Amino acid sequence: MSCIFCRIAAGEIPSKLVYQDDQVVAFPDIHPAAPVHILVVPRKHVQSVAHLADGDGELAGRLLLAARTVAEQAGVAQSGYRVIINIGDEGGQTVPHLHLHVIGGKQLTGHGTA
Ligand code: AMP
Ligand code: ZN
């Protein structure tokens, strides 16, 4: 298995999992862009949002609910935060395993379009 996020989800690469359930894991981003920067990923390999199947609706919802939970655990639910999903080359996706960035802990501005 060569996908780095599959390996983290499977426990093959040690990472501090801040959340895990039967379908989803979350861990800190190795290059945090803010005081809180957590990645939420499906255990199942899905390359990106563009590769979700029609039958992945429950998984897609579970990812969003997990993002909510990790934001609560990180203490940014009240102050506010961002959930970002990059998709494909021009979307700025560098790791080809679907992931949600949960970013907060400071004032965020703009729309991340730069
Ligand atoms: P993206 O550009 O949306 O594909 O985001 C990929 C993110 O994964 C970047 O923010 C990287 O810092 C992060 N990243 C890459 N490798 C690791 C790793 N081994 N553990 C944690 N985060 C990682
Ligand atoms: Zn993967």
Side-chain angles (χ1 to χ4, degrees), residues 10 51 53 62 111:
H51 296 78
R62 295 277 293 271
H111 299 89

Side-chain angles (χ1 to χ4, degrees), residues 19-26 41 43 59 62-63 65-66:
Y19 174 88
Q20 56 181 316
D21 65 30
D22 60 321
Q23 293 189 49
V24 178
V25 301
V41 316
R43 289 187 185 275
L59 177 60
R62 295 277 293 271
L63 288 165
L65 291 171

Side-chain angles (χ1 to χ4, degrees), residues 3-4 7 10 17 24 30 32 58 71 73 76 87 95 99 108 114:
C3 171
I4 188 153
R7 296 184 68 189
L17 298 184
V24 178
I30 202 167
E58 188 198 338
Q73 289 173 350
V76 296
I87 301 153
V95 175
H99 51 281
L108 300 167

Side-chain angles (χ1 to χ4, degrees), residues 4-5 8 27-31 39 86 92-95 99 101:
I4 188 153
F5 287 177
I8 290 173
F27 49 87
D29 194 292
I30 202 167
H31 293 123
L39 300 176
N86 297 324
Q93 183 177 7
T94 60
V95 175
H99 51 281
H101 297 255

Side-chain angles (χ1 to χ4, degrees):
M1 191 196 309
S2 61
C3 171
I4 188 153
F5 287 177
C6 279
R7 296 184 68 189
I8 290 173
E12 290 182 16
I13 296 175
S15 181
K16 189 185 131 207
L17 298 184
V18 297
Y19 174 88
Q20 56 181 316
D21 65 30
D22 60 321
Q23 293 189 49
V24 178
V25 301
F27 49 87
D29 194 292
I30 202 167
H31 293 123
V36 173
H37 189 167
I38 297 163
L39 300 176
V40 177
V41 316
R43 289 187 185 275
K44 174 175 104 164
H45 183 82
V46 177
Q47 184 173 328
S48 78
V49 165
H51 296 78
L52 283 167
D54 289 344
D56 287 327
E58 188 198 338
L59 177 60
R62 295 277 293 271
L63 288 165
L64 204 52
L65 291 171
R68 176 207 62 187
T69 298
V70 302
E72 288 171 354
Q73 289 173 350
V76 296
Q78 298 302 319
S79 52
Y81 58 96
R82 235 172 234 182
V83 177
I84 296 172
I85 308 176
N86 297 324
I87 301 153
D89 287 344
E90 291 195 359
Q93 183 177 7
T94 60
V95 175
H97 180 129
L98 172 60
H99 51 281
L100 284 62
H101 297 255
V102 177
I103 297 175
K106 71 174 186 182
Q107 181 63 55
L108 300 167
T109 58
H111 299 89
T113 53

